Amino acid sequence: MAPLPEGHFIVIEGGDAGGKSTQVTRLVDRLRDSGRDAVATFEPGATEVGRVLRSVVLGENSELDPRAEALIIAADRAQHTAEVVRPALSRGMDVVSDRYIPSSLAYQGRARELGVDVIRRISGWATDWLEPDLVIVLDVPQKIAAERSAGRVTGGSGDRMENESVAFHAAVRQAYLDLAERFGWVLVDGSGDADEVSMRVWKAVTEHFGRSTV
Ligand code: TYD
């Protein structure tokens, strides 16, 4: 019997207000234009269970312990992987996700200082060790990210993560930069307008998979 078709699992990463969701949409459009079946998804909160978990993690008032935060995010990821990502991949679709395990390594492992290795094991178990084929990190200088989020939320009305300190967001950015080499993530310059960034993202994708297979 011929092997089942397998889609590509591509993850778009980066700090808050880095323009990820726009780039996820654009990448899915380009994949479809090139004849592939592709779907966009995101973490946290893409499933019915996940929506409840997301509101706990990002709700303004929750006094969440960092370990509880890490486990709730991992639970969201378990549900997302089982319900959305794996079924789509096994139908041969490309899956483009706005965040996945690298977010937990940067935010919980590094910025919350819980440790990258333990967070990796927790998320690995949660997803039954499903690894993405390609992780693209949109890197945006702190100043630009701060300006973008100021345009999106007005002082203090963001979610629990957006309201974290400048130092927290700087630690997240640094974590992505530090961990990219270790884990083989591709850094893409996320500054400039959406058209420019989407061209850089597409270049990274075609270079990774080879033009003929994308
Ligand atoms: P969201 O509003 O979905 O998007 P974004 O900031 O990416 O535009 O916010 C998700 C928040 O959850 C974001 O601040 C990062 C955080 N998060 C973690 O801390 N760990 C994780 O593993 C994931 C997936 C998200």
Side-chain angles (χ1 to χ4, degrees):
M1 201 174 81
L4 286 173
E6 277 275 307
H8 300 315
F9 182 20
I10 302 170
V11 174
I12 307 291
E13 284 286 346
D16 293 64
K20 291 185 308 313
S21 54
T22 308
Q23 294 306 327
V24 166
T25 311
R26 299 239 181 161
L27 178 54
V28 166
D29 288 346
R30 283 194 191 247
L31 288 165
R32 287 181 181 158
D33 288 347
S34 72
R36 296 188 64 91
D37 207 359
V39 66
T41 188
F42 65 96
E43 294 188 358
T47 62
E48 208 173 319
V49 167
R51 278 188 280 284
V52 178
L53 300 174
R54 179 186 168 95
S55 70
V56 177
V57 174
L58 299 181
E60 275 173 54
N61 302 317
S62 34
E63 286 293 323
L64 256 194
D65 175 78
R67 287 174 192 244
E69 176 184 280
L71 291 169
I72 294 168
I73 288 172
D76 169 74
R77 181 163 298 131
Q79 190 68 28
H80 181 224
T81 308
E83 196 180 311
V84 178
V85 181
R86 280 189 191 275
L89 291 174
S90 65
R91 285 198 303 274
M93 300 177 85
D94 289 339
V95 176
V96 182
S97 185
D98 183 342
R99 301 193 181 281
Y100 188 62
I101 296 175
S103 285
S104 288
L105 304 186
Y107 283 78
Q108 282 66 48
R110 279 291 188 83
R112 295 274 192 238
E113 300 182 355
L114 293 174
V116 167
D117 291 328
V118 69
I119 294 296
R120 196 158 166 246
R121 287 200 296 279
I122 290 168
S123 268
W125 182 81
T127 59
D128 202 9
W129 316 101
L130 178 69
E131 289 280 344
D133 297 298
L134 174 64
V135 174
I136 292 176
V137 177
L138 296 183
D139 182 52
V140 175
Q142 211 59 44
K143 196 170 161 283
I144 297 178
E147 282 162 14
R148 286 186 188 169
S149 55
R152 201 170 63 171
V153 295
T154 39
S157 66
D159 65 39
R160 240 182 98 254
M161 293 294 192
E162 284 166 350
N163 290 339
E164 282 290 346
S165 65
V166 171
F168 180 87
H169 291 290
V172 168
R173 177 175 183 229
Q174 194 56 50
Y176 278 118
L177 296 176
D178 293 347
L179 297 176
E181 193 176 350
R182 173 170 166 199
F183 293 117
W185 304 337
V186 178
L187 287 171
V188 166
D189 179 0
S191 58
D193 67 30
D195 289 342
E196 287 173 79
V197 179
S198 80
M199 266 156 62
R200 290 180 204 129
V201 168
W202 185 241
K203 186 163 176 278
V205 170
T206 51
E207 274 174 7
H208 183 84
F209 293 107
R211 234 158 245 285
S212 57
T213 54
V214 191

